[in-house]
Amino acid sequence: MPLLRDTARPKVLVPEKLSPDGLALLRTSLEVDERRGLSADDLLQIIPDYEALLVRSETKVTATVLQAARRLKVVARAGVGVDNVDVEAATKLGIVVVNSPSGNIGAAAEHTIALMMAMARKIPEGCATLKDGKWERSKFVGVEVKGKTLSIIGLGKVGLTVARLAKGLGMAVNAMDPYASPAVAASASVTLVSSLPELLASADFLTIHTPLIASTRGMIAEAELAQMKPGARILNVARGGTIDEAALLASLESGHLAGAAVDVFTTEPPAADSTAAKLIAHPRAVVTPHLGASTVEAQENVSVDVCEQVLEILKGSLPRSAVNAPLILPEEYQKLQPFVRLVEKLGSLYTHYYASAPGGSMTRNTFDLIYQGEVASISNTKPLFAALIKGLLAPISSSEGININIVNAELVAKERGVFVSEQHSRDPSDQSSSYSSLVTLVARPPSRASSRARGEKAEAAPPQPQRVISGTCSGGEPLITRLGRFEASFAPEGTLLICENYDSPGKIGVVGSILGREGVNINFMTVAAVSPKLASGEADEPNPSKDGGTAEAAAVKDGPVSTEALMILGIDRVVGQQIATDLVKEGGVLSARAVSL
Ligand SMILES: NC(=O)C1=CN([C@@H]2O[C@H](COP(=O)(O)OP(=O)(O)OC[C@H]3O[C@@H](n4cnc5c(N)ncnc54)[C@H](O)[C@@H]3O)[C@@H](O)[C@H]2O)C=CC1
Ligand SMILES: O=C(O)C(=O)COP(=O)(O)O
């Protein structure tokens, strides 16, 4: 049961402090709910009511929260690190996760330099004692950074900015990052080293700027700290968990390390009696409560960046920095949009007409999706693939909320065992129609192995018929041009009744009167004849009613194939199976299938 909402506008939940600049953009079209101080339970209770969730690093967006979030389309992280968001669960649920990959890198890099200088010159200690009424000059003799070596783990956006700033301070900078570009490193006069021991041994100051991922969790522990020079100093403005807090505390306590500057902790805020709390209390530790991104400028940047993306996503467009969706340029997406709708219709027409109709079956799981003409020149067809998976599976998915989209289509297809081979045919002679673009969906007959797996005997295997649907975009709207052997021309919209019949006089009148009797209005009707190119060639899907139809049907069923036709009626409401049965029994049609598209 959807919750009652006091507004028709989509709702955005903002449980953390975000700069008002971005939120003002949202307020023009969305309802923005700023709710700071929510507990995990509170969040779970209220999340079903929201279309978008905007967070920083404090809110834990767990799989449980995401599963409860029935309306949620997007989780926006106003910052870089998404380690507080279960991105895998969001992907499965088709929820887009976006971040702001560069809005706060300057702030994080400057904070790193600020902590390094504060640690080198003992600024926090000098400041605290002076405020305490003491004038202690000889106790706080520091070291200079000029001429010292700064070693960086992770030469990404923050790491590189730190490197450039450190160069300006006269430091020698080296870095270890298996994925860094040597050219980029050289342009910042950074020496890339390939081994961590080499990097550790050279460091006067060591700073980490990697994400918290499996390969970086605990990467600096007791053994690594022991490889550093006595009197070296260490910084962490990336993520708690990359440095083992207990090992770091021990190294400070033993006097091996001269200092540590830490902005991020394994658990935030750290528990009172935790190792992190002891680290914070250590006299040679300079600490800040995750302030790396906390500047007015950075907060404006990230807020505007993610709020713009939330608006795009709720409009149905693609964001510029999705963490879990492929990158598509806006102009490319615009070109694709009509074909996205067409391909989704091809998929849902397939499932309604061939697979979920009485007598049909979902035994085919391997599809060819063939692009011909102008559409074949589009190279990034991920949205088309996603549209096909949605079209094929949404009609047979139990939950109304199943959200198949560009984010999770590949995963859903894999889970359901659906395989799609996309083919681009740019050769004009290969295009069997006069349309400037044509998209064809072919369901491959089941392989012998899969037929055997379903217990069908090889000798009893029926001939494998064609299941083909083609379409184009006409005036930006989807148009079906082929259904099985029939050359058609109809819009795949609304409720359609598709009747296969022998093309004999009076058939339309009989069908019309049966529908009229049931109170069904016909909005439009079109007839599709067997394509001359296909009449003598491929067999079509066997018609479940052919053997059990009317006397007339029986009389003509061995007649020439070319007399068969499809009658496609657009009707004003969804009809039950009984009407289809009546049309076969009384109306003399071979089969009738209602499809809702
Ligand atoms: N304290 C704070 O408030 C802030 C913290 N951050 C954190 O800083 C970190 C870095 O952010 P960005 O530079 O924007 O990310 P980025 O993605 O641009 O750079 C990360 C770099 O780490 C490297 N890397 C990955 N695994 C590695 C490994 N095993 N060994 C060595 N290098 C490895 C990658 O190749 C990449 O070059 C992130 O964890 C982010 O969350 C960012 C902004 C503010
Ligand atoms: O962007 C990041 O990765 C950060 O760590 C910043 O976190 P915050 O938004 O200040 O909670």
Side-chain angles (χ1 to χ4, degrees):
M1 247 298 272
L3 298 176
L4 278 179
R5 292 149 68 90
D6 52 7
T7 170
R9 304 201 308 169
K11 291 180 77 174
V12 184
L13 179 63
V14 189
E16 292 184 62
K17 169 97 181 94
L18 244 81
S19 159
D21 306 70
L23 300 183
L25 296 176
L26 298 183
R27 285 203 173 89
T28 57
S29 55
L30 310 174
E31 189 185 326
V32 179
D33 225 352
E34 288 183 85
R35 300 277 297 272
R36 262 178 263 157
L38 290 176
S39 68
D41 271 353
D42 295 338
L43 179 63
L44 203 56
Q45 289 301 314
I46 66 172
I47 197 66
D49 209 19
Y50 293 90
E51 275 79 3
L53 173 63
L54 259 75
V55 299
R56 288 178 59 186
S57 59
E58 278 178 31
T59 310
K60 302 289 170 256
V61 189
T62 60
T64 316
V65 169
L66 293 165
Q67 276 149 10
R70 291 194 295 270
R71 296 174 184 276
L72 203 64
K73 302 273 183 304
V74 48
V75 175
R77 160 57 165 124
V80 179
V82 287
D83 41 294
N84 54 322
V85 179
D86 190 331
V87 177
E88 203 181 316
T91 305
K92 273 195 183 152
L93 294 161
I95 298 169
V96 188
V97 179
V98 296
N99 71 347
S100 176
S102 52
N104 64 20
I105 54 169
E110 286 187 13
H111 195 66
T112 307
I113 297 293
L115 284 177
M116 181 174 71
M117 297 308 301
M119 174 164 58
R121 299 305 297 268
K122 304 186 191 259
I123 290 172
E125 301 94 309
C127 177
T129 51
L130 185 54
K131 282 178 189 280
D132 224 16
K134 297 177 200 149
W135 187 259
E136 295 180 325
R137 298 180 64 220
S138 59
K139 235 175 132 181
F140 302 122
V141 177
V143 292
E144 291 178 22
V145 299
K146 186 177 169 195
K148 302 279 166 33
T149 297
L150 175 67
S151 297
I152 300 177
I153 303 179
L155 197 65
K157 293 183 290 298
V158 178
L160 200 63
T161 312
V162 169
R164 292 199 165 109
L165 294 173
K167 277 283 169 189
L169 293 170
M171 299 184 84
V173 181
N174 60 17
M176 199 279 293
D177 184 332
Y179 316 104
S181 141
V184 171
S187 75
S189 308
V190 174
T191 309
L192 274 182
V193 299
S194 53
S195 86
L196 186 57
E198 192 188 335
L199 188 88
L200 295 170
S202 66
D204 295 305
F205 293 84
L206 177 74
T207 184
I208 300 197
H209 298 288
T210 67
L212 180 65
I213 48 178
S215 67
T216 62
R217 191 178 289 278
M219 78 185 302
I220 302 298
E222 192 184 342
E224 288 71 27
L225 293 173
Q227 292 170 53
M228 294 180 71
K229 290 190 262 192
R233 292 171 173 84
I234 194 167
L235 295 119
N236 188 3
V237 185
R239 277 295 176 273
T242 53
I243 302 179
D244 181 311
E245 285 167 346
L248 179 56
L249 178 62
S251 191
L252 283 176
E253 283 173 345
S254 73
H256 179 64
L257 284 187
V262 187
D263 182 48
V264 285
F265 300 89
T266 311
T267 302
E268 295 181 0
D273 55 353
S274 62
T275 307
K278 292 190 186 111
L279 185 60
I280 290 165
H282 194 278
R284 291 200 311 284
V286 178
V287 291
T288 45
H290 201 148
L291 294 183
S294 292
T295 64
V296 173
E297 296 85 349
Q299 286 310 308
E300 276 176 17
N301 291 343
V302 297
S303 172
V304 170
D305 188 356
V306 295
C307 288
E308 283 175 353
Q309 296 190 67
V310 165
L311 288 172
E312 285 297 305
I313 292 164
L314 295 184
K315 243 174 37 194
S317 302
L318 282 174
R320 58 180 162 258
S321 316
V323 172
N324 61 349
L327 182 74
I328 292 193
L329 300 173
E331 49 287 10
E332 200 178 358
Y333 190 67
Q334 236 168 20
K335 202 165 138 194
L336 271 176
Q337 200 53 271
F339 292 100
V340 167
R341 290 181 49 224
L342 169 67
V343 172
E344 185 179 338
K345 294 294 184 186
L346 291 181
S348 63
L349 180 57
Y350 174 85
T351 297
H352 280 291
Y353 186 68
Y354 285 121
S356 60
S361 63
M362 199 65 181
T363 50
R364 299 192 184 189
N365 59 0
T366 305
F367 297 87
D368 294 308
L369 189 58
I370 306 159
Y371 309 114
Q372 289 171 283
E374 284 166 17
V375 66
S377 66
I378 296 170
S379 52
N380 189 349
T381 52
K382 286 212 180 256
L384 299 180
F385 169 84
L388 176 65
I389 301 301
K390 182 172 184 190
L392 286 171
L393 297 179
I396 50 163
S397 299
S398 52
S399 99
E400 31 153 2
I402 184 143
N403 189 9
I404 301 171
N405 57 27
I406 194 161
V407 175
N408 62 357
E410 265 180 47
L411 205 73
V412 172
K414 209 165 140 202
E415 278 174 3
R416 302 282 192 113
V418 173
F419 304 95
V420 178
S421 154
E422 289 178 278
Q423 296 159 29
H424 296 248
S425 168
R426 290 187 187 86
D427 178 359
S429 62
D430 194 26
Q431 197 180 329
S432 56
S433 81
S434 53
Y435 299 107
S436 59
S437 285
L438 193 73
V439 185
T440 298
L441 177 67
V442 181
R444 289 195 207 160
S447 67
R448 280 176 186 279
S450 63
S451 302
R452 270 200 305 275
R454 286 195 310 278
E456 289 166 14
K457 289 203 185 89
E459 63 275 17
Q464 299 297 340
Q466 281 283 321
R467 286 181 179 181
V468 181
I469 308 177
S470 298
T472 187
C473 286
S474 168
E477 294 300 318
L479 186 77
I480 300 300
T481 60
R482 174 177 173 186
L483 183 54
R485 285 174 302 139
F486 299 93
E487 224 168 52
S489 176
F490 66 93
E493 291 293 340
T495 303
L496 304 176
L497 198 56
I498 302 178
C499 307
E500 195 174 337
N501 63 295
Y502 290 109
D503 205 6
S504 57
K507 197 58 54 69
I508 295 170
V510 178
V511 169
S513 69
I514 292 174
L515 290 176
R517 188 182 73 199
E518 302 294 333
V520 178
N521 287 318
I522 300 172
N523 298 330
F524 72 85
M525 198 214 73
T526 172
V527 174
V530 173
S531 160
K533 283 175 239 138
L534 303 169
S536 56
E538 306 139 331
D540 198 7
E541 183 71 354
N543 192 311
S545 314
K546 271 187 185 168
D547 294 332
T550 60
E552 181 202 0
V556 291
K557 80 176 171 192
D558 297 325
V561 169
S562 58
T563 58
E564 282 179 47
L566 275 190
M567 204 192 298
I568 298 126
L569 302 124
I571 54 177
D572 67 347
R573 67 176 172 85
V574 177
V575 293
Q577 183 50 36
Q578 188 51 48
I579 289 197
T581 310
D582 290 352
L583 285 170
V584 172
K585 282 210 179 117
E586 300 172 35
V589 302
L590 297 168
S591 72
R593 297 177 202 175
V595 302
S596 289
L597 301 170

